[in-house]
Amino acid sequence: MKKIIYCIFINFLFFSLFPLTGRAQLTELKRNIDTITTKLLASVAIVPSNLKWPPEVRIIDSTDPNAFASIKEEQPIISINTGLITIIDNVPDRMAYIVAHELAHIVKGHCSRRLLSEKNALASTFSNEDEKEADIE
């Protein structure tokens, strides 16, 4: 019973965040990003053994042009704001770069280091070195 109520709540939350007129576009957008992510994941040589795989990809309804990688309960998550998707005009090559960059943060262990740092209140963002390393990968 709890699962059914939870699913109803999640569906309500999802459809209230994304209006009816945008659901079809959002579904198509998510499908395109998932296709890009699947192709990129095929090229990952070393999968972190301490994480659930593959990463979950989320689209966040925010005008902030941002994307970020995080880990929640050993599940890597790549979050992409709709503001960034708008800026890049949803061009597949640009989206692939964004997903690859965030994927590199996960594979290189930057998220794990950041979690440890946040517990010690030392850092809340990736370091410049982490960002450069993610760009190179």
Side-chain angles (χ1 to χ4, degrees):
M1 184 68 174
K2 286 182 181 180
K3 284 185 179 181
I4 293 171
I5 292 170
Y6 180 72
C7 289
I8 291 169
F9 174 73
I10 293 300
N11 284 332
F12 172 76
L13 182 63
F14 177 81
F15 291 122
S16 63
L17 288 174
F18 300 102
L20 183 61
T21 57
R23 274 190 233 158
Q25 292 118 344
L26 184 63
T27 301
E28 183 66 24
L29 176 63
K30 179 74 167 97
R31 190 177 308 124
N32 292 342
I33 293 172
D34 286 343
T35 300
I36 290 168
T37 303
T38 300
K39 289 178 182 178
L40 289 169
L41 288 172
S43 67
V44 174
I46 301 171
V47 175
S49 61
N50 62 328
L51 299 177
K52 297 175 185 174
W53 206 252
E56 179 183 329
V57 177
R58 296 180 181 175
I59 300 171
I60 299 174
D61 188 21
S62 170
T63 57
D64 183 28
N66 195 17
F68 54 94
S70 59
I71 298 174
K72 182 177 181 182
E73 298 172 2
E74 299 176 357
Q75 176 64 57
I77 301 166
I78 296 172
S79 300
I80 305 168
N81 291 357
T82 53
L84 181 59
I85 295 167
T86 301
I87 287 175
I88 66 165
D89 294 325
N90 195 22
V91 174
D93 289 348
R94 295 174 184 168
M95 184 61 66
Y97 174 81
I98 291 164
V99 173
H101 177 89
E102 300 309 329
L103 187 58
H105 280 304
I106 294 167
V107 172
K108 291 293 185 178
H110 300 165
C111 296
S112 299
R113 286 200 303 263
R114 190 170 118 187
L115 285 175
L116 293 173
S117 295
E118 285 177 356
K119 286 180 184 175
N120 296 324
L122 295 177
S124 61
T125 59
F126 293 122
S127 69
N128 288 338
E129 293 80 25
D130 288 348
E131 289 295 340
K132 289 176 187 173
E133 186 177 33
D135 283 340
I136 292 170
E137 287 299 310

